[in-house]
Every structure is written in structure tokens, then in C-alpha cells.
Amino acid sequence: MVRMIQFNLSCKRLWSFFLLFCCGLVLISCKKKEEKHLPIVIVDKPVKKDMQIYGEYVGRIKAESFVEIHARVEGYLENLLFEEGKMVHQGDPLFVISPALYKAKVAKAKAQLKKNQVQAAKAARDVERLTPLYEQHAASQLDLDNAIAAKENAEADIAMSEADLEQASLELSYTRVISPITGYISERLADVGTLVGPGRKSKLAVVVKSDTVNVEFKMTALDYLRAERRNVKFGEQDTTRSWQPTVTVTLADNTEYPIKGIVDFADPSVDPNTGTFSVRAILPNLQG
């Protein structure tokens, strides 16, 4: 009986040791699992660098030059010397206005100039002839004074005739309308045979220079103050720093234009109604 009890006690101790051993294994495996899932943290040294500060604004793009071609003299449109929508160069002839009337004015001005030159030459000879006669008391002071006055009047008439000839020649040159800039020309706004000129239908076409464009947008007075605190001067190029205020254009299809623009102008006045001022950037447009 005593042996049986001792055996039972020893079995209970073994079973207890077994349970403790299993619990230990479970605790060890849980600890290993926890150690496997610990997060890995990478630590790096801080870096000091400039960050871009930007704002988004609604703007508009327009050509750098938008020149209207007007008829500067009156006359019937005789000819068109360009293709609509094509590139024209500075100095290219675009329109021809009937030049007959202006050629006649030039011829008349030349004839009047020639006449006045002849009269001035005669008046100069009269002065040369009367001067020694007056010194010899063979001519009166009045005769000499009249000759000198006639000479001076003739010289003044020459000056007036030269000015008239220059004006007539200038008007004749206006009958051949040329392009003031290089760019793309619009459709014609007057047909051949139309009477054009100042006070009538004077606008003939438009030439647009689009290899460079302007981007215009509005900024608030608060934006200006913030830029001042960052030492940004709108419309000024600061050569002492390595960066300049630029503009990135997002097109209507949400794509970015690959070339950035440089801010070159800021309106010095603020609109009192909106509290905004105009800012302009210049942007290359080499692909048209």
C-alpha cells in the first residue's frame, strides 16, 4: 500500500514537470515569433536644402506680339501678296493699294520743287548783281532789299517743296503694305477691289509672333507679402542667387508644358476691387 502511494506521487511529479516543460516551450516559441515581427527602423542624418514653394493660379497665354495691319492711305485694294495663315517675314509685302494717285502727287511735288529751285537761283543772281551796284550807288537800298527778300522766299519755298515731296513719297510707299514683324498672318479682312484707308475699312489683317508667349495671371496682396519675406522680387532678375521665380504651365488636358517661364513683370498697382495684381512670365514657344 505504501509503494502504490509513492508511485502515484512520483507519477504526479513527472506529469507536472512535463506540463511545465511544455509551457516553457510555448513561451519560448511565442517570444521568437514576437522577435521576428519587430519593425525595422532606418535612421538617416538630416539634410538641409531648399524646398520649392509654389501656388496655383488661373492664367492666360497670349502671343508676345499681336500686330494689326492697317491701310495708312486711302485707295482701292489692288492685290494680295501672301497666303493666309502662313509665316510672313518682316518687310514682306502683303497688300498693294492703287498707287496711281500717289505717283501723281510725287510727280507734282517734284515739279514744284524744280520750279522753286529755278526761282531761288534767279533770286540769288539778282542779289549778286545788285550788291556791287548798290555799293557804287547805282542801285537803291530798296532794290537790294527786295532782291534779298525774294532770295530768302525762294529758299523757303524750296524747303516747303522738299517737305511736300517727302510726304508724297511717304504716302506712295504706304500703298505697298509690308509686314512690320515676323510671324503668322491671319486671314484677309478686306478683298481685292475694296476701298480702304483711314476713316474707312482700314484693318486688313493681323500678324502674330508666337515663338515667344506671355503667361499672365493674378496674385493676391498676401502672396506678395509672403514672397517679400522670402526675398522674392517679382519682375526682377536677381543675379546673386542660383534660382529665379519660374512658372510651370499646366495645359487644358492636365499635361505640363516642358519649358518653364521666367517672371519678368509685375504690375506695381493692386486692383482695389479684387485685391490682386497682374504678374507676367515669358515662355519660349519654339514649336509654335
Side-chain angles (χ1 to χ4, degrees):
M1 187 66 176
V2 175
R3 291 180 181 175
M4 183 64 67
I5 292 170
Q6 289 178 352
F7 176 75
N8 289 336
L9 289 172
S10 62
C11 288
K12 287 180 179 180
R13 289 176 181 174
L14 290 173
W15 181 251
S16 299
F17 286 132
F18 178 73
L19 290 176
L20 289 173
F21 178 74
C22 291
C23 289
L25 290 177
V26 171
L27 290 174
I28 292 171
S29 61
C30 290
K31 187 176 181 181
K32 288 182 178 181
K33 285 184 178 180
E34 290 178 359
E35 290 177 353
K36 289 181 179 178
H37 291 83
L38 288 177
I40 299 174
V41 179
I42 300 175
V43 180
D44 201 354
K45 294 181 180 180
V47 177
K48 182 181 178 181
K49 64 179 181 180
D50 293 333
M51 299 297 294
Q52 290 187 354
I53 300 175
Y54 64 92
E56 293 184 356
Y57 306 94
V58 177
R60 63 173 184 166
I61 300 175
K62 68 176 186 178
E64 181 185 18
S65 298
F66 187 89
V67 181
E68 294 181 350
I69 308 299
H70 287 262
R72 303 177 69 174
V73 292
E74 186 177 286
Y76 289 97
L77 201 61
E78 276 194 353
N79 199 3
L80 277 71
L81 305 175
F82 65 92
E83 292 185 43
E84 297 172 314
K86 299 297 184 179
M87 174 72 73
V88 294
H89 296 87
Q90 184 177 10
D92 286 352
L94 304 177
F95 299 91
V96 176
I97 299 173
S98 179
L101 176 63
Y102 301 97
K103 287 180 178 179
K105 287 184 177 181
V106 170
K108 182 179 179 181
K110 287 181 177 179
Q112 185 64 43
L113 175 60
K114 182 67 175 177
K115 179 180 178 181
N116 292 336
Q117 288 173 341
V118 170
Q119 291 177 349
K122 179 182 180 300
R125 289 194 298 270
D126 290 342
V127 172
E128 291 177 0
R129 184 177 67 255
L130 287 173
T131 299
L133 293 176
Y134 170 75
E135 294 173 352
Q136 297 172 10
H137 304 287
S140 67
Q141 179 70 49
L142 180 61
D143 292 336
L144 180 61
D145 289 344
N146 289 337
I148 293 174
K151 177 185 176 184
E152 291 176 350
N153 285 334
E155 291 174 349
D157 289 340
I158 289 176
M160 292 179 61
S161 297
E162 290 175 344
D164 290 341
L165 177 59
E166 183 178 355
Q167 181 179 356
S169 300
L170 191 61
E171 290 178 347
L172 178 60
S173 69
Y174 289 159
T175 61
R176 194 173 180 84
V177 183
I178 62 174
S179 177
I181 62 171
T182 298
Y184 289 94
I185 192 167
S186 69
E187 63 177 348
R188 67 183 185 276
L189 302 178
D191 293 323
V192 173
T194 304
L195 181 61
V196 298
R200 299 182 180 274
K201 188 176 182 62
S202 65
K203 188 176 179 180
L204 304 179
V206 175
V207 178
V208 179
K209 181 183 179 183
S210 58
D211 55 353
T212 302
V213 295
N214 292 329
V215 182
E216 298 179 350
F217 55 97
K218 300 283 188 178
M219 296 188 72
T220 65
L222 181 59
D223 293 328
Y224 179 81
L225 293 175
R226 289 173 176 172
E228 282 287 324
R229 294 190 184 102
R230 297 194 299 270
N231 195 28
V232 177
K233 302 292 185 181
F234 291 110
E236 297 181 8
Q237 301 296 315
D238 190 349
T239 58
T240 62
R241 64 188 179 205
S242 60
W243 60 275
Q244 301 295 337
T246 59
V247 168
T248 301
V249 176
T250 301
L251 303 177
D253 58 357
N254 291 326
T255 60
E256 285 189 1
Y257 188 68
I259 304 176
K260 296 183 183 295
I262 299 294
V263 177
D264 69 337
F265 169 77
D267 197 327
S269 61
V270 177
D271 188 341
N273 297 320
T274 61
T276 61
F277 64 99
S278 298
V279 180
R280 183 188 69 196
I282 188 169
L283 189 69
N285 184 33
L286 302 179
Q287 301 299 325

